[in-house]
mmCIF file of all heavy atoms in Angstrom:
data_model
loop_
_atom_site.group_PDB
_atom_site.id
_atom_site.type_symbol
_atom_site.label_atom_id
_atom_site.label_comp_id
_atom_site.label_asym_id
_atom_site.label_seq_id
_atom_site.Cartn_x
_atom_site.Cartn_y
_atom_site.Cartn_z
ATOM 1 N N PRO A 1 -9.565 -21.971 -9.259
ATOM 2 C CA PRO A 1 -8.303 -22.101 -9.962
ATOM 3 C C PRO A 1 -7.625 -20.676 -10.144
ATOM 4 O O PRO A 1 -8.336 -19.635 -10.094
ATOM 5 C CB PRO A 1 -8.654 -22.678 -11.344
ATOM 6 C CG PRO A 1 -10.124 -22.597 -11.473
ATOM 7 C CD PRO A 1 -10.665 -22.378 -10.087
ATOM 8 N N LEU A 2 -6.320 -20.648 -10.264
ATOM 9 C CA LEU A 2 -5.603 -19.396 -10.429
ATOM 10 C C LEU A 2 -6.054 -18.682 -11.688
ATOM 11 O O LEU A 2 -6.212 -19.407 -12.693
ATOM 12 C CB LEU A 2 -4.103 -19.657 -10.434
ATOM 13 C CG LEU A 2 -3.474 -20.120 -9.172
ATOM 14 C CD1 LEU A 2 -1.941 -20.429 -9.423
ATOM 15 C CD2 LEU A 2 -3.586 -19.085 -8.093
ATOM 16 N N PRO A 3 -6.262 -17.394 -11.672
ATOM 17 C CA PRO A 3 -6.555 -16.669 -12.908
ATOM 18 C C PRO A 3 -5.340 -16.616 -13.795
ATOM 19 O O PRO A 3 -4.193 -16.777 -13.398
ATOM 20 C CB PRO A 3 -6.975 -15.295 -12.411
ATOM 21 C CG PRO A 3 -6.279 -15.125 -11.132
ATOM 22 C CD PRO A 3 -6.107 -16.493 -10.511
ATOM 23 N N ALA A 4 -5.602 -16.301 -15.057
ATOM 24 C CA ALA A 4 -4.546 -16.196 -16.034
ATOM 25 C C ALA A 4 -3.635 -14.937 -15.664
ATOM 26 O O ALA A 4 -4.182 -13.909 -15.188
ATOM 27 C CB ALA A 4 -5.045 -16.017 -17.388
ATOM 28 N N GLU A 5 -2.388 -15.064 -15.828
ATOM 29 C CA GLU A 5 -1.459 -13.888 -15.416
ATOM 30 C C GLU A 5 -1.508 -12.900 -16.528
ATOM 31 O O GLU A 5 -1.643 -13.217 -17.707
ATOM 32 C CB GLU A 5 -0.022 -14.379 -15.210
ATOM 33 C CG GLU A 5 0.125 -15.183 -13.925
ATOM 34 C CD GLU A 5 1.606 -15.397 -13.596
ATOM 35 O OE1 GLU A 5 2.429 -14.514 -13.897
ATOM 36 O OE2 GLU A 5 1.868 -16.424 -12.941
ATOM 37 N N VAL A 6 -1.574 -11.592 -16.121
ATOM 38 C CA VAL A 6 -1.557 -10.541 -17.038
ATOM 39 C C VAL A 6 -0.285 -9.720 -16.801
ATOM 40 O O VAL A 6 -0.209 -9.018 -15.810
ATOM 41 C CB VAL A 6 -2.804 -9.639 -16.913
ATOM 42 C CG1 VAL A 6 -2.737 -8.453 -17.807
ATOM 43 C CG2 VAL A 6 -4.012 -10.494 -17.061
ATOM 44 N N PRO A 7 0.732 -9.790 -17.583
ATOM 45 C CA PRO A 7 1.994 -9.083 -17.376
ATOM 46 C C PRO A 7 1.721 -7.656 -17.463
ATOM 47 O O PRO A 7 1.086 -7.123 -18.400
ATOM 48 C CB PRO A 7 2.940 -9.562 -18.461
ATOM 49 C CG PRO A 7 2.255 -10.751 -19.061
ATOM 50 C CD PRO A 7 0.810 -10.709 -18.846
ATOM 51 N N LEU A 8 2.172 -6.854 -16.514
ATOM 52 C CA LEU A 8 2.100 -5.387 -16.453
ATOM 53 C C LEU A 8 3.409 -4.757 -16.800
ATOM 54 O O LEU A 8 4.420 -5.175 -16.176
ATOM 55 C CB LEU A 8 1.578 -4.907 -15.146
ATOM 56 C CG LEU A 8 0.284 -5.460 -14.692
ATOM 57 C CD1 LEU A 8 -0.119 -4.989 -13.286
ATOM 58 C CD2 LEU A 8 -0.849 -4.986 -15.657
ATOM 59 N N LYS A 9 3.428 -3.798 -17.685
ATOM 60 C CA LYS A 9 4.704 -3.055 -17.949
ATOM 61 C C LYS A 9 4.993 -2.250 -16.761
ATOM 62 O O LYS A 9 4.160 -1.525 -16.287
ATOM 63 C CB LYS A 9 4.521 -2.236 -19.180
ATOM 64 C CG LYS A 9 5.729 -1.548 -19.630
ATOM 65 C CD LYS A 9 5.495 -0.725 -20.892
ATOM 66 C CE LYS A 9 6.721 0.005 -21.263
ATOM 67 N NZ LYS A 9 6.595 0.792 -22.481
ATOM 68 N N ASN A 10 6.234 -2.336 -16.226
ATOM 69 C CA ASN A 10 6.673 -1.587 -15.108
ATOM 70 C C ASN A 10 5.828 -1.876 -13.833
ATOM 71 O O ASN A 10 5.469 -0.920 -13.062
ATOM 72 C CB ASN A 10 6.695 -0.073 -15.359
ATOM 73 C CG ASN A 10 7.618 0.196 -16.532
ATOM 74 O OD1 ASN A 10 8.744 -0.358 -16.630
ATOM 75 N ND2 ASN A 10 7.251 1.122 -17.310
ATOM 76 N N ALA A 11 5.476 -3.178 -13.614
ATOM 77 C CA ALA A 11 4.657 -3.473 -12.396
ATOM 78 C C ALA A 11 5.431 -3.121 -11.170
ATOM 79 O O ALA A 11 6.602 -3.467 -11.026
ATOM 80 C CB ALA A 11 4.268 -4.961 -12.482
ATOM 81 N N PRO A 12 4.768 -2.456 -10.174
ATOM 82 C CA PRO A 12 5.454 -2.039 -8.985
ATOM 83 C C PRO A 12 5.733 -3.227 -8.042
ATOM 84 O O PRO A 12 6.697 -3.238 -7.345
ATOM 85 C CB PRO A 12 4.545 -1.018 -8.366
ATOM 86 C CG PRO A 12 3.149 -1.410 -8.874
ATOM 87 C CD PRO A 12 3.424 -1.910 -10.226
ATOM 88 N N LEU A 13 4.912 -4.189 -8.055
ATOM 89 C CA LEU A 13 5.102 -5.377 -7.218
ATOM 90 C C LEU A 13 4.883 -6.647 -8.054
ATOM 91 O O LEU A 13 3.991 -6.710 -8.946
ATOM 92 C CB LEU A 13 4.039 -5.444 -6.077
ATOM 93 C CG LEU A 13 4.035 -4.232 -5.096
ATOM 94 C CD1 LEU A 13 2.811 -4.347 -4.213
ATOM 95 C CD2 LEU A 13 5.215 -4.121 -4.314
ATOM 96 N N GLU A 14 5.679 -7.674 -7.652
ATOM 97 C CA GLU A 14 5.524 -8.977 -8.354
ATOM 98 C C GLU A 14 4.470 -9.823 -7.714
ATOM 99 O O GLU A 14 3.642 -10.436 -8.342
ATOM 100 C CB GLU A 14 6.802 -9.682 -8.454
ATOM 101 C CG GLU A 14 6.771 -10.976 -9.187
ATOM 102 C CD GLU A 14 8.108 -11.632 -9.367
ATOM 103 O OE1 GLU A 14 9.084 -10.922 -9.555
ATOM 104 O OE2 GLU A 14 8.178 -12.898 -9.244
ATOM 105 N N ARG A 15 4.485 -9.811 -6.399
ATOM 106 C CA ARG A 15 3.554 -10.632 -5.625
ATOM 107 C C ARG A 15 3.388 -10.069 -4.271
ATOM 108 O O ARG A 15 4.323 -9.645 -3.630
ATOM 109 C CB ARG A 15 4.111 -12.071 -5.514
ATOM 110 C CG ARG A 15 3.117 -13.043 -4.917
ATOM 111 C CD ARG A 15 3.527 -14.393 -5.256
ATOM 112 N NE ARG A 15 3.501 -14.536 -6.693
ATOM 113 C CZ ARG A 15 3.914 -15.513 -7.449
ATOM 114 N NH1 ARG A 15 4.443 -16.554 -6.832
ATOM 115 N NH2 ARG A 15 3.844 -15.529 -8.735
ATOM 116 N N VAL A 16 2.116 -10.015 -3.725
ATOM 117 C CA VAL A 16 1.922 -9.571 -2.389
ATOM 118 C C VAL A 16 1.287 -10.712 -1.591
ATOM 119 O O VAL A 16 0.265 -11.351 -2.080
ATOM 120 C CB VAL A 16 0.979 -8.312 -2.379
ATOM 121 C CG1 VAL A 16 0.677 -7.854 -0.946
ATOM 122 C CG2 VAL A 16 1.678 -7.183 -3.100
ATOM 123 N N ILE A 17 1.838 -11.029 -0.369
ATOM 124 C CA ILE A 17 1.274 -12.108 0.334
ATOM 125 C C ILE A 17 0.848 -11.722 1.676
ATOM 126 O O ILE A 17 0.185 -12.557 2.382
ATOM 127 C CB ILE A 17 2.321 -13.313 0.479
ATOM 128 C CG1 ILE A 17 3.552 -12.823 1.118
ATOM 129 C CG2 ILE A 17 2.579 -13.938 -0.858
ATOM 130 C CD1 ILE A 17 4.493 -13.938 1.477
ATOM 131 N N ALA A 18 0.983 -10.519 2.078
ATOM 132 C CA ALA A 18 0.600 -10.032 3.388
ATOM 133 C C ALA A 18 0.544 -8.544 3.438
ATOM 134 O O ALA A 18 1.073 -7.840 2.602
ATOM 135 C CB ALA A 18 1.557 -10.484 4.504
ATOM 136 N N GLN A 19 -0.225 -7.969 4.321
ATOM 137 C CA GLN A 19 -0.342 -6.554 4.524
ATOM 138 C C GLN A 19 -0.026 -6.326 6.037
ATOM 139 O O GLN A 19 -0.748 -6.969 6.827
ATOM 140 C CB GLN A 19 -1.726 -6.073 4.162
ATOM 141 C CG GLN A 19 -1.857 -4.503 4.442
ATOM 142 C CD GLN A 19 -3.350 -4.044 4.139
ATOM 143 O OE1 GLN A 19 -4.245 -4.765 4.287
ATOM 144 N NE2 GLN A 19 -3.398 -2.776 3.751
ATOM 145 N N LEU A 20 0.854 -5.443 6.322
ATOM 146 C CA LEU A 20 1.165 -5.104 7.661
ATOM 147 C C LEU A 20 0.260 -3.878 8.084
ATOM 148 O O LEU A 20 0.077 -2.960 7.393
ATOM 149 C CB LEU A 20 2.606 -4.684 7.764
ATOM 150 C CG LEU A 20 3.637 -5.816 7.487
ATOM 151 C CD1 LEU A 20 5.055 -5.239 7.622
ATOM 152 C CD2 LEU A 20 3.432 -7.054 8.339
ATOM 153 N N ARG A 21 -0.202 -4.031 9.338
ATOM 154 C CA ARG A 21 -1.009 -2.912 9.897
ATOM 155 C C ARG A 21 -0.327 -2.355 11.098
ATOM 156 O O ARG A 21 0.222 -3.124 11.906
ATOM 157 C CB ARG A 21 -2.411 -3.445 10.252
ATOM 158 C CG ARG A 21 -3.206 -4.163 9.113
ATOM 159 C CD ARG A 21 -3.468 -3.161 7.996
ATOM 160 N NE ARG A 21 -4.440 -2.224 8.507
ATOM 161 C CZ ARG A 21 -5.581 -1.878 7.884
ATOM 162 N NH1 ARG A 21 -5.839 -2.408 6.699
ATOM 163 N NH2 ARG A 21 -6.390 -0.975 8.372
ATOM 164 N N PHE A 22 -0.384 -1.043 11.260
ATOM 165 C CA PHE A 22 0.323 -0.359 12.403
ATOM 166 C C PHE A 22 -0.740 0.333 13.178
ATOM 167 O O PHE A 22 -1.759 0.779 12.573
ATOM 168 C CB PHE A 22 1.387 0.523 11.862
ATOM 169 C CG PHE A 22 2.512 -0.158 11.121
ATOM 170 C CD1 PHE A 22 2.476 -0.318 9.783
ATOM 171 C CD2 PHE A 22 3.590 -0.681 11.881
ATOM 172 C CE1 PHE A 22 3.480 -1.055 9.065
ATOM 173 C CE2 PHE A 22 4.582 -1.372 11.217
ATOM 174 C CZ PHE A 22 4.551 -1.490 9.800
ATOM 175 N N PRO A 23 -0.471 0.692 14.411
ATOM 176 C CA PRO A 23 -1.417 1.476 15.176
ATOM 177 C C PRO A 23 -1.562 2.876 14.469
ATOM 178 O O PRO A 23 -0.674 3.355 13.870
ATOM 179 C CB PRO A 23 -0.726 1.653 16.531
ATOM 180 C CG PRO A 23 0.289 0.607 16.622
ATOM 181 C CD PRO A 23 0.728 0.270 15.145
ATOM 182 N N GLU A 24 -2.741 3.435 14.752
ATOM 183 C CA GLU A 24 -3.054 4.717 14.170
ATOM 184 C C GLU A 24 -2.120 5.804 14.706
ATOM 185 O O GLU A 24 -1.702 5.789 15.847
ATOM 186 C CB GLU A 24 -4.471 5.195 14.541
ATOM 187 C CG GLU A 24 -5.542 4.491 13.715
ATOM 188 C CD GLU A 24 -6.881 5.089 13.930
ATOM 189 O OE1 GLU A 24 -7.005 6.401 14.023
ATOM 190 O OE2 GLU A 24 -7.827 4.314 14.024
ATOM 191 N N ILE A 25 -1.668 6.733 13.847
ATOM 192 C CA ILE A 25 -0.893 7.878 14.233
ATOM 193 C C ILE A 25 -1.813 9.093 13.911
ATOM 194 O O ILE A 25 -1.992 9.440 12.672
ATOM 195 C CB ILE A 25 0.446 7.981 13.470
ATOM 196 C CG1 ILE A 25 1.231 6.776 13.728
ATOM 197 C CG2 ILE A 25 1.192 9.190 13.826
ATOM 198 C CD1 ILE A 25 2.468 6.558 12.838
ATOM 199 N N LEU A 26 -2.383 9.603 14.897
ATOM 200 C CA LEU A 26 -3.401 10.651 14.690
ATOM 201 C C LEU A 26 -2.903 11.921 13.994
ATOM 202 O O LEU A 26 -3.604 12.570 13.242
ATOM 203 C CB LEU A 26 -4.072 10.964 15.982
ATOM 204 C CG LEU A 26 -4.841 9.920 16.656
ATOM 205 C CD1 LEU A 26 -5.410 10.365 17.988
ATOM 206 C CD2 LEU A 26 -5.893 9.298 15.747
ATOM 207 N N SER A 27 -1.604 12.149 14.133
ATOM 208 C CA SER A 27 -1.055 13.392 13.476
ATOM 209 C C SER A 27 -1.075 13.239 11.946
ATOM 210 O O SER A 27 -1.116 14.221 11.227
ATOM 211 C CB SER A 27 0.346 13.673 13.907
ATOM 212 O OG SER A 27 1.207 12.620 13.685
ATOM 213 N N VAL A 28 -1.119 11.995 11.448
ATOM 214 C CA VAL A 28 -1.195 11.761 10.022
ATOM 215 C C VAL A 28 -2.571 12.192 9.467
ATOM 216 O O VAL A 28 -2.666 12.570 8.267
ATOM 217 C CB VAL A 28 -0.910 10.249 9.660
ATOM 218 C CG1 VAL A 28 -1.172 9.946 8.211
ATOM 219 C CG2 VAL A 28 0.427 9.877 10.034
ATOM 220 N N GLU A 29 -3.597 12.287 10.265
ATOM 221 C CA GLU A 29 -4.875 12.773 9.848
ATOM 222 C C GLU A 29 -4.920 14.271 9.607
ATOM 223 O O GLU A 29 -5.762 14.787 8.893
ATOM 224 C CB GLU A 29 -5.936 12.510 10.964
ATOM 225 C CG GLU A 29 -6.162 11.025 11.157
ATOM 226 C CD GLU A 29 -7.047 10.376 10.154
ATOM 227 O OE1 GLU A 29 -7.854 11.039 9.521
ATOM 228 O OE2 GLU A 29 -6.772 9.165 9.897
ATOM 229 N N GLN A 30 -3.887 14.964 10.051
ATOM 230 C CA GLN A 30 -3.837 16.445 9.874
ATOM 231 C C GLN A 30 -3.179 16.800 8.545
ATOM 232 O O GLN A 30 -1.953 16.366 8.340
ATOM 233 C CB GLN A 30 -3.082 17.099 11.044
ATOM 234 C CG GLN A 30 -3.711 16.759 12.384
ATOM 235 C CD GLN A 30 -2.770 17.261 13.521
ATOM 236 O OE1 GLN A 30 -1.772 17.859 13.354
ATOM 237 N NE2 GLN A 30 -3.204 16.862 14.715
ATOM 238 N N ARG A 31 -3.834 17.519 7.696
ATOM 239 C CA ARG A 31 -3.305 17.849 6.371
ATOM 240 C C ARG A 31 -1.949 18.591 6.448
ATOM 241 O O ARG A 31 -1.092 18.434 5.684
ATOM 242 C CB ARG A 31 -4.313 18.630 5.620
ATOM 243 C CG ARG A 31 -5.571 17.763 5.144
ATOM 244 C CD ARG A 31 -6.497 18.590 4.341
ATOM 245 N NE ARG A 31 -7.636 17.845 4.022
ATOM 246 C CZ ARG A 31 -7.789 17.124 2.844
ATOM 247 N NH1 ARG A 31 -6.862 17.202 1.963
ATOM 248 N NH2 ARG A 31 -8.863 16.453 2.614
ATOM 249 N N ASP A 32 -1.836 19.478 7.476
ATOM 250 C CA ASP A 32 -0.562 20.215 7.657
ATOM 251 C C ASP A 32 0.609 19.270 7.895
ATOM 252 O O ASP A 32 1.760 19.568 7.476
ATOM 253 C CB ASP A 32 -0.731 21.233 8.718
ATOM 254 C CG ASP A 32 -1.633 22.379 8.407
ATOM 255 O OD1 ASP A 32 -2.041 22.520 7.183
ATOM 256 O OD2 ASP A 32 -2.044 23.080 9.299
ATOM 257 N N PHE A 33 0.350 18.175 8.510
ATOM 258 C CA PHE A 33 1.453 17.223 8.841
ATOM 259 C C PHE A 33 1.830 16.414 7.527
ATOM 260 O O PHE A 33 2.968 16.161 7.324
ATOM 261 C CB PHE A 33 0.987 16.249 9.992
ATOM 262 C CG PHE A 33 1.917 15.218 10.355
ATOM 263 C CD1 PHE A 33 2.985 15.516 11.182
ATOM 264 C CD2 PHE A 33 1.873 13.891 9.785
ATOM 265 C CE1 PHE A 33 3.915 14.513 11.480
ATOM 266 C CE2 PHE A 33 2.792 12.960 10.116
ATOM 267 C CZ PHE A 33 3.798 13.202 10.998
ATOM 268 N N VAL A 34 0.853 16.099 6.734
ATOM 269 C CA VAL A 34 1.072 15.155 5.632
ATOM 270 C C VAL A 34 1.554 16.048 4.398
ATOM 271 O O VAL A 34 2.274 15.482 3.538
ATOM 272 C CB VAL A 34 -0.279 14.467 5.183
ATOM 273 C CG1 VAL A 34 -0.042 13.639 3.987
ATOM 274 C CG2 VAL A 34 -0.713 13.593 6.469
ATOM 275 N N ALA A 35 1.189 17.268 4.237
ATOM 276 C CA ALA A 35 1.475 18.119 3.053
ATOM 277 C C ALA A 35 2.934 18.114 2.606
ATOM 278 O O ALA A 35 3.188 17.846 1.420
ATOM 279 C CB ALA A 35 0.907 19.506 3.200
ATOM 280 N N PRO A 36 3.904 18.330 3.536
ATOM 281 C CA PRO A 36 5.280 18.321 3.089
ATOM 282 C C PRO A 36 5.753 16.991 2.511
ATOM 283 O O PRO A 36 6.470 16.934 1.508
ATOM 284 C CB PRO A 36 6.105 18.739 4.400
ATOM 285 C CG PRO A 36 5.108 19.396 5.223
ATOM 286 C CD PRO A 36 3.761 18.754 4.965
#
């Protein structure tokens, strides 16, 4: 059965039904690329 709902103050999402996955971007692994 569905769990009881717990209202969150300023919740970022109301409901999530899927997650999208993308191919790896190897440059994202480099800290110098991500830092800015």
Side-chain angles (χ1 to χ4, degrees):
L2 292 174
E5 288 195 29
V6 178
L8 300 174
K9 184 178 180 180
N10 300 322
L13 301 172
E14 184 174 320
R15 188 162 298 172
V16 176
I17 57 172
Q19 179 183 29
L20 299 178
R21 304 295 292 228
F22 297 94
E24 283 189 42
I25 302 171
L26 297 179
S27 60
V28 172
E29 295 284 330
Q30 300 171 10
R31 291 181 181 265
D32 292 344
F33 179 82
V34 177

